[in-house]
Amino acid sequence: MSKFIIILDEYGLLILKGVGVTLLLSIMGTILGLIFALILGSIVSLEDSPFDNKWQKNIKQFLKWGINIYVTIFRGTPMIVQAIIFYYSFLKMGINWSPIIAGLFTVTINTTAYLTEVIRGGIHSVNKDQTEAGLSIGLSRFQTFIYLVLPQALKNAMASIGNELVINIKDTSVLSVIMIMDLYNACMMAAGKYYFFIESMLIAAAIYLFLTMFFTIVLRFIEKKMGAPLKQLSSSN
């Protein structure tokens, strides 16, 4: 027990700041990723209209092709590898960005890739009768999608979106590789000074467990209030 007291006494403030960095990266990365995923997921779900000309059809196909490549690459490579590539590549190009910005960028583009598939699955889960109903009351296809289809798709995808946030809280620990002083790195500093590796990691594990359980409870409460299905869409990571 004395080892835990020593760690918390000397590194408690640093660990607390690390928790703040972890929450900043995971929450902001998930929010920004969701915003971009709404755009990309909507594009991927576009269906050809009988009124589309050849150029419009080609543009749609090109955009879908590009998005699918992006999703495949970022879902198929580890976040730790992406962080190293982006951080040091930008530095070599003369862009002296901070590790925090680099980390947020990495979490955002990684989350966007996963949530694009989630949003696509959510859109496809909405009954096509909803689109026909919107068109029958005089709404345009765009209005029908924005006001009828997309809100229902988000509702259906809430469980998977929440799951992505919980995953990001844990996965941001890999960003210590680009010198971000998050929860994991703060605990590793304490471990390195006194060689209390087990005790330091137990503290980190306890905090990660508390954070993930807290946000899981909050998200489940929000899902129930929205009447969202608790089953996660199969396209989640």
Side-chain angles (χ1 to χ4, degrees):
M1 182 62 87
S2 60
K3 293 180 180 179
F4 290 103
I5 295 174
I6 292 172
I7 293 170
L8 293 176
D9 181 58
E10 187 167 344
Y11 287 92
L13 185 59
L14 184 64
I15 291 173
L16 189 61
K17 289 180 180 178
V19 172
V21 172
T22 293
L23 290 177
L24 171 68
L25 292 173
S26 56
I27 294 174
M28 286 300 299
T30 303
I31 292 173
L32 292 173
L34 177 58
I35 293 171
F36 292 125
L38 285 171
I39 298 171
L40 300 186
S42 300
I43 293 173
V44 170
S45 301
L46 283 175
E47 296 182 356
D48 289 335
S49 169
F51 302 104
D52 288 345
N53 56 41
K54 182 180 178 180
W55 282 106
Q56 288 173 319
K57 291 181 179 179
N58 289 338
I59 290 173
K60 285 182 182 179
Q61 290 303 315
F62 176 77
L63 289 174
K64 290 180 182 180
W65 176 77
I67 292 170
N68 285 331
I69 291 178
Y70 159 72
V71 169
T72 300
I73 291 174
F74 285 94
R75 279 170 58 103
T77 55
M79 188 188 293
I80 188 171
V81 175
Q82 297 166 13
I84 293 171
I85 291 173
F86 284 119
Y87 181 62
Y88 290 104
S89 294
F90 276 74
L91 287 180
K92 283 190 175 182
M93 290 187 291
I95 300 175
N96 190 23
W97 59 348
S98 69
I100 291 289
I101 299 300
L104 181 59
F105 177 80
T106 304
V107 175
T108 298
I109 61 172
N110 189 274
T111 301
T112 300
Y114 279 102
L115 291 188
T116 294
E117 285 296 283
V118 170
I119 297 300
R120 178 195 59 78
I123 291 171
H124 288 169
S125 70
V126 178
N127 197 307
K128 290 187 177 181
D129 291 344
Q130 298 293 318
T131 300
E132 295 175 3
L135 296 174
S136 67
I137 61 174
L139 295 177
S140 66
R141 285 189 173 273
F142 179 76
Q143 290 173 323
T144 300
F145 180 78
I146 293 297
Y147 296 121
L148 291 181
V149 177
L150 196 56
Q152 292 182 67
L154 273 173
K155 180 179 175 181
N156 293 341
M158 267 303 297
S160 293
I161 294 170
N163 185 54
E164 184 65 22
L165 172 59
V166 172
I167 288 172
N168 280 341
I169 290 174
K170 296 179 292 181
D171 284 359
T172 50
S173 60
V174 304
L175 297 176
S176 60
V177 74
I178 56 173
M179 300 170 291
I180 288 179
M181 190 55 63
D182 64 339
L183 169 59
Y184 170 78
N185 221 358
C187 289
M188 279 300 295
M189 283 193 66
K193 180 174 182 179
Y194 295 107
Y195 293 95
F196 296 161
F197 286 96
I198 295 176
E199 292 78 10
S200 297
M201 289 301 101
L202 283 174
I203 291 173
I207 297 173
Y208 277 119
L209 181 61
F210 171 78
L211 292 176
T212 55
M213 288 182 65
F214 173 78
F215 280 99
T216 298
I217 292 170
V218 171
L219 290 165
R220 292 293 179 266
F221 177 77
I222 295 173
E223 289 165 17
K224 287 181 181 179
K225 286 294 182 181
M226 293 177 61
L230 297 179
K231 182 179 178 181
Q232 294 174 15
L233 298 174
S234 58
S235 54
S236 181
N237 51 339

